Every structure is written in structure tokens, then in C-alpha cells.
Amino acid sequence: MCGETIERTFEEMKIRIRDVVSGGIRLEYVVKPDEIGLTGEDFIEPENSIKVIADLQKVDNFVLGKLVVTFLCENHCARCLERLSHEVTTKYEVDLEILDGDEWLDLGAKVREEMLVEYLPRTLCREDCKGICPDCGADLNTEPCECNKGSK
Ligand SMILES: [Zn+2]
Ligand SMILES: [Zn+2]
């Protein structure tokens, strides 16, 4: 009694609210970015797929969801400009209030929102990226630079 898996209805990731039951359902999708409204975002290439696993449960007049989103993240580090391409898996929790008359739940829009919040501001190759020296242009992660050694 731990939930049923239902087939996705169509590629836009809209699901019927009445299909979400209190016992929970699991939905799995593989979509292209433009299918959930991501066009021209620089953190994902248009041809790369996004995998979404959604566990949804109806509790009173809310749909509670746990989303696991996996995709190949493309980026340039804001400090050193290194091109970054790495698979990321992120977990999100969402709760969506069901209002009177709501019939469909646009899960794709929710995934898009979460991805935009998550990936736009985060453009460092790593938290402690040293960046590029403004004076000599050296990538300080990989090469030493003489500019800041003047006080010796
Ligand atoms: Zn960097
Ligand atoms: Zn320098």
C-alpha cells in the first residue's frame, strides 16, 4: 500500500489533480528543456534531457511533492570563466495548494521555477574558486601569479 505509479499523460508534465491520491504516486519524466519552458538558459543545452522523478501525495487540499531532477548542467564559472559541464541531481520539495476548480497541476512549470532559482545565481566552478587575477589574467586556480607577492 505504498502508492501506485501512473503513466504520464503527455509531455508537458501536466497532471490531473484527481490522479494524485493520498497514498501517493510516482511519476517519471524525461523531457527536453523547451518542453518545460526553458529556452535560451545558459545552464542547459537545448538537446540535453532533464530527468524528473516526482513523488506526489495529496494531503487535505495540498499536493505535496518530492522532486528529483537530474540533468547535465552547463556553465561558465563567474570568477575564472572555466567551462563547467557536469551532471547534477537536485532534490526539491514543493507544496501546492489546490484551489476550487483546479483540475490540472503544471509540474513542468514548477520544475522550471526551481531550476531557475537554483542554477542562475550559482555560477562558480567551486565555492573557493580563486578566479582570474585582474592584473595579469592568470587563472589563480591553476597557476601562481606574482602580482600579490609584492609585500615580501
Ligand atoms: Zn572558477
Ligand atoms: Zn596576477
Side-chain angles (χ1 to χ4, degrees), residues 77-82 84 123-126 129-131 141:
C77 175
R79 285 186 196 153
C80 72
L81 303 182
E82 185 189 340
L84 314 170
T123 52
L124 297 182
C125 62
R126 56 186 198 234
C129 172
K130 296 187 183 75
N141 296 304

Side-chain angles (χ1 to χ4, degrees), residues 1-98:
M1 294 289 279
C2 57
E4 54 177 318
T5 298
I6 64 165
E7 275 182 41
R8 60 198 154 113
T9 46
F10 57 104
E11 70 280 8
E12 285 181 32
M13 293 180 70
K14 287 186 182 158
I15 55 173
R16 273 181 204 282
I17 289 170
R18 68 164 180 265
D19 287 338
V20 182
V21 293
S22 56
I25 57 169
R26 166 164 287 199
L27 297 159
E28 298 188 13
Y29 300 90
V30 177
V31 294
K32 298 292 185 203
D34 64 346
E35 290 176 320
I36 58 169
L38 291 171
T39 54
E41 311 305 336
D42 59 6
F43 60 83
I44 186 164
E45 296 291 337
E47 70 274 12
N48 288 350
S49 297
I50 303 166
K51 188 179 169 206
V52 179
I53 300 173
D55 284 304
L56 302 176
Q57 190 179 13
K58 189 165 178 288
V59 178
D60 298 327
N61 60 334
F62 283 88
V63 173
L64 306 184
K66 289 194 168 101
L67 308 177
V68 180
V69 177
T70 304
F71 69 102
L72 192 65
C73 187
E74 307 278 348
N75 228 330
H76 288 90
C77 175
R79 285 186 196 153
C80 72
L81 303 182
E82 185 189 340
R83 181 154 177 81
L84 314 170
S85 179
H86 54 290
E87 187 176 270
V88 295
T89 297
T90 318
K91 296 177 182 177
Y92 307 111
E93 296 203 4
V94 296
D95 53 69
L96 303 160
E97 189 174 8
I98 306 164

Side-chain angles (χ1 to χ4, degrees), residues 133 135-138 140 145-148:
C133 173
D135 295 320
C136 71
L140 302 176
C145 124
E146 302 297 319
C147 301
N148 290 322

